[in-house]
Every structure is written in structure tokens, then in C-alpha cells.
Amino acid sequence: MDEATDGLQKKVEEIKTLYGQKHYDEALSSIKEGESEFGDKQEIITLKREIETEIDKIIKETQSYNRDGNFKAALKNIDDLLLMNPKSFKSLNKEKKIAEKGIKLQLNKAKKSYKAGDMAEALALLEELVQISGSEVIEGNLDNIQEMLTALKSEKLPEQEQPMVEEQAKVEEPVERPPIKKKNIDKKFQEALNKIGEKEYEEARLLLSDITVSDPEHKEAKNLLNILELDAKKIPNLFWQNRFDDALLAISIHLSKNPNDQEIQSYKWRIQSQVAQKVEEIKKALSEDEYNYAMSEIRDALKKNPVAFKELEVLRKKAIAMAEGRSPDEIEEEIKIEEPEKEKTSKPIIPIIIGAAGLVVAALILYFLFFGGEKEIVPLPGRLLLTKIENIDISNLSATVDESPLDLENLQATELQAGAHNLKFQKGARIYTKEITLTEDTTMEFRIPLFPLTVNISPSGEIWEEEKQIRESGSSHTLSLLPGEYTFSIRQEGYREQTRDIVISDEDPPSPVDISLIPIPPQEPGTLNVQLMPSGRVYEGSRLLATFPPLQQNISLSPGTHTLRFTTNEEGCEERVLSFRITSGASRSTTIYLCFGFLNINTIPPGARISIDGSTVDIEGNSYGTTPKANIRLPKGLHTLTVEHPGHPSKSIQVIIQTNETVNQSVDLTKGP
């Protein structure tokens, strides 16, 4: 065996191995390499045909499952096949979407049966659904499905209905959604159109989904389904693409659920405004005998948006007749005769044009929705343009019109329906409201109601409002304020606080406010006499006030409240922080202990009243109470303990307390001294 033959044989074995492992993408890639290296060898060509036939068989089998409504079988291998062979089974992405739609319809049917109390049908549908693996719809609704199943299985049917349910279980096959027969698709599509005409959009969507599952090539159903499921955020795209008919249907669907959405409503007005302008433009061209231009514009408008430009159908007839030299009176008479005949056939039911473009179907539906009966006269929108005074700070300001937010960063005209609207501006807790009235096709300029108040302070000061500082210390401040009443406090250390009441009008800018602060006269200091035990240091903030020994010192302090920190280097002792109120020219004394131990007291009999160093309360003001008593906290040093009990002589003894140590003391009051 030569080298080339050996190489071919190895390549064939490699392809067969990949094929056997169902790695079709890698097998086909290996075949391509073999064709490049060895040419059109029969062994490679045969394997290629086998693999392509197998792939085609799997795809058609999946498509067949979807057509038969067997979505469980359709989804069974799709995920694995797409994971292993994304190129060979690219078309299965579409089949997966079809299967998911079918499962969603089946789930909706189960929910309806469940709500309607048809427990047998709901149970059969739900039990089939939970057996489907690989479905995003099932995974996303699994908790809901399990909840319904649990409720159904725990619910006992009435006894007289039991035999009938059991009999049904014997004869009924598992519930599958069979595809709609071809002859019934037209009927279903007509039903969907009627549902849209009645504004029952959810029912129409379910019918159209059913149709697209049974007939994926049904263009009219797909087009309408896309519009019914369109995200409202994409409606502006339809408008800017001049797809007015599609946009109007999508707007009608969205407003049926969100009637107060002014932004989407504005696109309906825009469309109607542009249509009206185009019609007037064509009328003017006809009045000036520019027939060719008028006909070109009419054809273009009717081709793109036959419903929005329905009025142009009459102008088209006029243009043709005028080009033929017929009189205007004759044309008007013909149109008057045609209109009643048209009304008889246009309103009862939406006609169907099977096989026509989806745009035409959408147009027929829109005709029913928007142009049946008398034509509605819709006013053109007005525009609101916010302006502001220069150097006004709007960073903390918000604004709404009819509860919809306005963009204050980019001050551009906002289209709104002609009529009354409520403006609301808010800055912090302050709110300002104003009712405005817009007229058709005009722009109203409204100045943002923030007004600059200049506050000049000599020498300088902080501005406070309701105990909240709104400006740091400075000599000149500019505040941006909404109309209303304000009370400001001006504060600066060493000066008396001043208060100003200010009224901001929504008509005239406020005048500057000048404030001269009055210095507080200097006061005589007070004295704090401190005895510190043991020796240490006293600080106010980071400033050292005194060092001990000596045992006692007088510290001079300015009038007011001072927070002092007392420390010592003695081991086991603590640091204490205490506040003292100092009065001008006055003196006060205090003893500060930094080292503490503990005393436990028992007496015979118990219940004796305790006093230490002549006091019944400790240095914190807490009562010592009666015996037995544990963990009495005492400063380090010698203390006199006295216990008293009715019917027994009192006793006093000396105890020595050491830092962080506990002394246990027992006293027998029944014995003599």
C-alpha cells in the first residue's frame, strides 16, 4: 500500500468516526480537507452524501414534528444538535422558535382550562407539558405549572363526574396541538382579522401564532403577528421609516393597554399631521394643473401607506379625470354616487386577500380601525419649549408635564396634544405647579421658574435653612429658588445669628439681600478646678490643658460647653471623656478617677443597706442598693464601707481597692463589734 492510499484510508476512517459520533460539522470539515488533498475520491463522496442525507432527514423530521404539534419530540434533540453542529443544523433555530410558540399556545390553553374549571383537560395538558425538556417557555413557567398540577391533583372531582372522567382517560389520546388544516387556515385568518377589528388583540395574537406554527410561510399572518408583538420602543422607528400604516396599528394596540402614554400618542398626531400636509400639497399641485407631479406623489403614498393616505384615492380619480379633460362638477357627481356604495361594503367585515403582501393586510385592518364611519377630526399637536434664566443652577431640579418627566439638560421643544396640561417642578421638598394651555401647531415658551437670589454677608457667613446648611461660609452667595416663602439663618462663629424671611414671586426676580453680622462681645473666662486621680493629663481636642501632679489644678476656659479628655500612664487604668458647661466669671470643681476595681458584699442577715464613703450612690449616680451585692465599681484606693440593717447595729469597715481587682467582703451583723 503506497503512502497516498494509506493517507486516504486514514482520512476515511477519521470521517467515519466523526460521523458515528454525530459530529457532523467536524466530519464535513474533514471531508473538505480530504477533497482538497485527495481529490474526488468515491469513498469521500459517498460519505459526504450519507452525512448530508442524514442531516436533511433530521431537519425534515423536526419540521414534521412541529407540523404535527409534537413539540416534545421536536425539542428533544435540538439543543444537543445545535451545540455539537451549529453549522449543519442552523435551520433548527427557526424550528426551535416555532416549537416554543406552540408550547406557549398549549400552556395558555392549559391556563384557560384551569381558570374555567375544566380540570380534566387542564391536567392532561399540564402533565404533557412538564415532560418536555429543553423548552425555555416551560423552564420560565415551571413553578406556575407545578403549582397548577399540585392544585389539580389535590382537587377531588364530584362523585357523579368520576366515571365520565375515567372513561375519557381510556379513549382520549394525550393532548397534542394538531396543525390547522390548509382549508381552515383562511377561516382562522379571517377570525384573527375580526378579533383585531374588535380590538381583542390577545385573542388575535393567539390565532395568528397558531397559523404561523401550522404554516410558517404565511406572510400575512407573520406580518400581523410581528406588529401585535412589537415592542412600543420600536414604534418611533416605524414612524421615521415612513411606515405609517404599521405604526398606526402598533400605536392603537399599545394605547389600548396604556391609554395615558403621551409619548406614543404624540406619534399618532405626528403621522396625522404629516398626512394632512401631504394631502394639502397634492391638492395644491392639482389646483395648479401639475397632474404628473400629483399622480407620482399619490402613487408613492398609496403604495407605502394605503390606509393613512386613503383620502388620496379620491384625489387620484380627480387627477385622472382632469387629465382626461372632464369637468370638476362631473367628477364630484361621480364621487358622490360611489361613496354610498363603498360604505355598504367596507364596514361589516374585513375583506381578506390571501397571498397579498402583509402590508396590504395591515392596511385593510387599519381601514376598519381608523377610517370606518365618519372621519375623526384630530387637532394638530402643540409644542412646549422650556427656557431658563442665565446662571441658574438646575442640577437638583426635576420637572414633569402631566406626570411625564421632562429633560432639563437638553431644552428642546416637546410635542403635546393641544389643550390644558399640568407642569410640575420640584427641588428638594419644594414643589411648584402651573397649568398651561397649548394651541394647535404653535410653540409655547415657558421659563423654568427658578429665580436667582443674591445674599451678601459682611464680613462672611454660612446660610442655613431648617437646621440644614445649604452654603459654606462666604461673603456673597447666589441661590436658585422656586417661588414660595423661605426662612434663612446666617451663622458665623464669633457673631450673632441672624434670620431673614424671603418671599420669591413667580413674576419678578427678587432683589439682593444684604446682611451685616454683629460681633459677640468677648466674655470673661470661667474656671474648672480639677482633682485628677491618679496623676495624668487633660486635653481639649488635641490641645494639652494641664499636667498632673500637682494633685489639683485650676483650668481657665471660655464660656460655653467644653469636652475634655483625661488620661494617665498608669497600667490598667482608663481614659475618660467628659463635657463641662462653663459660665463666665464662675468656678466649678470636679474630681476625676481613672483607675477602678470591684467590691462584692455579703451580710448576715442579707438585705442590709450599703453606703460607701458616706454615700449611697456611686460616682455615676447609681444606687448601691442592699446586700448581697456584686461588682460594685469603685475608684482605686481606701474606702469606708458601712452596712445597716433594721434590728442590728450598723458596721463600718475599711476596704482597699486595687486596679482591675475584686475584693470579696462579708459582714456578720449578728455579732458584736
Side-chain angles (χ1 to χ4, degrees):
M1 183 183 293
D2 59 30
E3 186 175 335
T5 304
D6 182 57
L8 175 61
Q9 189 62 37
K10 287 182 179 179
K11 176 58 69 175
V12 170
E13 289 300 321
E14 177 187 314
I15 295 168
K16 285 182 177 180
T17 300
L18 292 170
Y19 177 29
Q21 295 172 347
K22 299 186 182 300
H23 292 294
Y24 302 121
D25 282 0
E26 293 182 41
L28 289 173
S29 178
S30 185
I31 285 172
K32 190 174 181 181
E33 292 174 1
E35 288 174 337
S36 176
E37 185 175 352
F38 303 106
D40 297 329
K41 295 296 182 181
Q42 188 60 42
E43 299 94 321
I44 294 178
I45 293 172
T46 301
L47 282 171
K48 182 178 181 181
R49 287 175 180 169
E50 286 182 16
I51 294 171
E52 288 175 342
T53 301
E54 180 71 13
I55 291 170
D56 187 59
K57 178 185 174 183
I58 293 172
I59 292 172
K60 287 182 177 178
E61 186 178 57
T62 305
Q63 291 172 338
S64 175
Y65 286 141
N66 272 335
R67 284 195 298 272
D68 294 339
N70 191 354
F71 307 119
K72 177 182 176 182
L75 284 176
K76 186 176 181 181
N77 295 320
I78 283 180
D79 285 341
D80 288 340
L81 289 169
L82 287 173
L83 182 64
M84 295 171 61
N85 304 285
K87 293 182 180 178
S88 298
F89 294 106
K90 184 178 180 181
S91 62
L92 289 185
N93 284 301
K94 179 180 178 182
E95 295 303 317
K96 182 172 183 179
K97 291 179 181 178
I98 293 170
E100 292 283 13
K101 281 188 177 181
I103 291 169
K104 189 174 182 180
L105 288 169
Q106 195 165 329
L107 178 58
N108 288 336
K109 184 176 179 181
K111 288 179 179 178
K112 284 186 177 180
S113 299
Y114 178 77
K115 290 179 181 177
D118 191 349
M119 298 194 294
E121 183 179 13
L123 185 61
L125 287 167
L126 291 169
E127 285 182 337
E128 183 183 4
L129 286 169
V130 294
Q131 296 175 17
I132 299 175
S133 60
S135 168
E136 294 176 3
V137 173
I138 298 298
E139 291 174 1
N141 293 273
L142 190 57
D143 290 343
N144 190 16
I145 292 171
Q146 295 288 6
E147 184 181 336
M148 288 190 288
L149 275 172
T150 302
L152 287 167
K153 289 178 179 179
S154 63
E155 184 76 21
K156 186 177 179 182
L157 293 172
E159 290 184 6
Q160 64 271 22
E161 292 182 16
Q162 293 283 349
M164 179 169 54
V165 173
E166 288 172 6
E167 173 132 11
Q168 276 184 343
K170 292 177 184 177
V171 298
E172 285 187 356
E173 302 254 339
V175 178
E176 301 260 351
R177 286 191 66 87
I180 306 170
K181 294 180 180 179
K182 185 66 179 175
K183 65 180 181 181
N184 290 329
I185 286 180
D186 295 353
K187 182 179 177 181
K188 285 283 186 183
F189 187 58
Q190 176 68 63
E191 189 179 346
L193 295 180
N194 289 335
K195 290 294 183 184
I196 293 176
E198 294 164 5
K199 297 192 177 183
E200 295 181 9
Y201 300 123
E202 182 59 24
E203 293 294 329
R205 191 187 64 76
L206 292 173
L207 287 167
L208 291 169
S209 296
D210 215 353
I211 292 169
T212 56
V213 169
S214 298
D215 183 4
E217 303 304 320
H218 199 295
K219 294 181 180 179
E220 296 84 358
K222 287 171 67 176
N223 183 69
L224 283 178
L225 187 60
N226 287 338
I227 295 175
L228 284 170
E229 295 179 343
L230 185 74
D231 187 336
K233 294 178 181 178
K234 295 183 179 179
I235 288 175
N237 294 342
L238 295 177
F239 170 76
W240 294 115
Q241 293 167 9
N242 291 326
R243 293 170 57 187
F244 296 158
D245 284 0
D246 287 346
L248 285 171
L249 178 56
I251 289 169
S252 176
I253 294 165
H254 179 74
L255 292 180
S256 70
K257 302 173 185 175
N258 305 277
N260 297 321
D261 193 331
Q262 292 292 328
E263 182 181 357
I264 296 301
Q265 179 79 289
S266 71
Y267 283 98
K268 179 180 176 182
W269 299 329
R270 288 185 183 186
I271 291 170
Q272 292 167 336
S273 176
Q274 290 200 16
V275 168
Q277 290 177 14
K278 176 59 70 175
V279 170
E280 289 302 317
E281 180 185 328
I282 293 171
K283 284 181 178 179
K284 182 179 179 182
L286 286 174
S287 68
E288 296 173 355
D289 296 335
E290 296 179 4
Y291 307 125
N292 291 335
Y293 171 76
M295 283 301 297
S296 174
E297 290 295 304
I298 289 171
R299 278 195 298 270
D300 184 57
L302 289 175
K303 181 179 178 182
K304 293 179 180 177
N305 299 288
V307 175
F309 289 102
K310 171 183 172 286
E311 186 179 348
L312 293 183
E313 188 62 42
V314 175
L315 293 181
R316 184 180 68 83
K317 293 179 181 179
K318 284 186 178 182
I320 293 172
M322 291 171 71
E324 292 172 351
R326 297 159 65 189
S327 68
D329 292 339
E330 184 181 353
I331 297 166
E332 290 291 340
E333 190 62 33
E334 285 182 7
I335 292 172
K336 286 179 182 178
I337 294 170
E338 288 176 2
E339 286 300 323
E341 293 299 321
K342 192 172 182 181
E343 294 233 354
K344 290 177 184 177
T345 59
S346 62
K347 291 180 67 175
I349 192 166
I350 303 176
I352 307 173
I353 304 178
I354 300 300
L359 186 60
V360 175
V361 176
L364 292 169
I365 293 167
L366 282 164
Y367 171 70
F368 186 93
L369 289 173
F370 295 101
F371 295 97
E374 295 183 5
K375 183 178 177 182
E376 179 187 5
I377 299 175
V378 180
L380 294 174
R383 290 171 295 278
L384 171 66
L385 177 61
L386 295 179
T387 62
K388 68 171 186 175
I389 301 173
E390 289 186 8
N391 301 323
I392 285 295
D393 178 17
I394 61 172
S395 58
N396 296 318
L397 181 71
S398 63
T400 61
V401 56
D402 301 329
E403 304 302 326
S404 296
L406 292 170
D407 184 0
L408 298 180
E409 294 298 325
N410 302 301
L411 298 179
Q412 298 179 350
T414 301
E415 284 194 350
L416 297 168
Q417 184 179 4
H421 297 276
N422 290 313
L423 280 173
K424 177 181 175 182
F425 297 87
Q426 184 166 0
K427 187 173 184 181
R430 297 275 177 173
I431 295 175
Y432 175 82
T433 59
K434 186 77 172 180
E435 184 174 294
I436 60 171
T437 301
L438 297 182
T439 54
E440 290 184 47
D441 201 27
T442 59
T443 299
M444 169 187 277
E445 291 191 4
F446 187 89
R447 186 178 64 190
I448 294 174
L450 273 184
F451 297 90
L453 173 67
T454 300
V455 181
N456 299 313
I457 305 172
S458 177
S460 64
E462 304 165 349
I463 301 180
W464 292 66
E465 182 184 15
E466 297 179 352
E467 294 307 313
K468 180 181 178 181
Q469 185 177 350
I470 61 174
R471 287 292 187 274
E472 298 289 342
S473 180
S475 59
S476 183
H477 305 274
T478 299
L479 308 178
S480 298
L481 304 174
L482 287 171
E485 297 179 357
Y486 296 82
T487 298
F488 295 121
S489 297
I490 313 302
R491 302 176 185 177
Q492 183 72 2
E493 187 176 354
Y495 292 83
R496 297 187 188 280
E497 180 179 325
Q498 293 198 33
T499 301
R500 289 289 188 277
D501 293 326
I502 307 292
V503 177
I504 304 297
S505 166
D506 60 359
E507 296 179 357
D508 301 319
S511 301
V513 175
D514 297 321
I515 298 173
S516 296
L517 296 178
I518 300 172
I520 299 174
Q523 293 181 295
E524 182 183 352
T527 301
L528 179 65
N529 182 278
V530 178
Q531 183 177 355
L532 186 63
M533 300 178 67
S535 298
R537 291 168 297 282
V538 181
Y539 294 89
E540 183 173 27
S542 59
R543 183 167 66 98
L544 178 63
L545 297 181
T547 302
F548 297 78
L551 179 65
Q552 184 171 312
Q553 287 201 54
N554 292 322
I555 301 174
S556 179
L557 296 170
S558 62
T561 300
H562 295 263
T563 300
L564 306 182
R565 179 166 55 93
F566 301 87
T567 67
T568 182
N569 291 330
E570 190 167 319
E571 186 176 354
C573 298
E574 62 186 49
E575 176 180 287
R576 298 185 69 187
V577 177
L578 301 169
S579 293
F580 300 90
R581 181 72 180 175
I582 303 300
T583 304
S584 176
S587 177
R588 62 176 296 186
S589 299
T590 184
T591 300
I592 307 298
Y593 299 97
L594 301 179
C595 303
F596 294 87
F598 299 92
L599 174 64
N600 296 333
I601 306 172
N602 287 296
T603 62
I604 300 174
R609 188 166 67 94
I610 302 168
S611 62
I612 299 175
D613 297 330
S615 175
T616 59
V617 297
D618 63 16
I619 61 173
E620 304 293 339
N622 301 312
S623 172
Y624 292 126
T626 59
T627 61
K629 188 77 171 180
N631 294 323
I632 297 175
R633 186 169 179 264
L634 295 173
K636 173 186 174 183
L638 181 65
H639 297 274
T640 300
L641 167 64
T642 302
V643 288
E644 297 176 300
H645 194 286
H648 298 280
S650 63
K651 283 190 176 183
S652 296
I653 58 175
Q654 301 288 314
V655 293
I656 298 174
I657 301 297
Q658 300 294 340
T659 302
N660 291 333
E661 291 185 5
T662 300
V663 175
N664 295 308
Q665 185 67 53
S666 295
V667 180
D668 190 346
L669 295 174
T670 62
K671 296 181 180 181

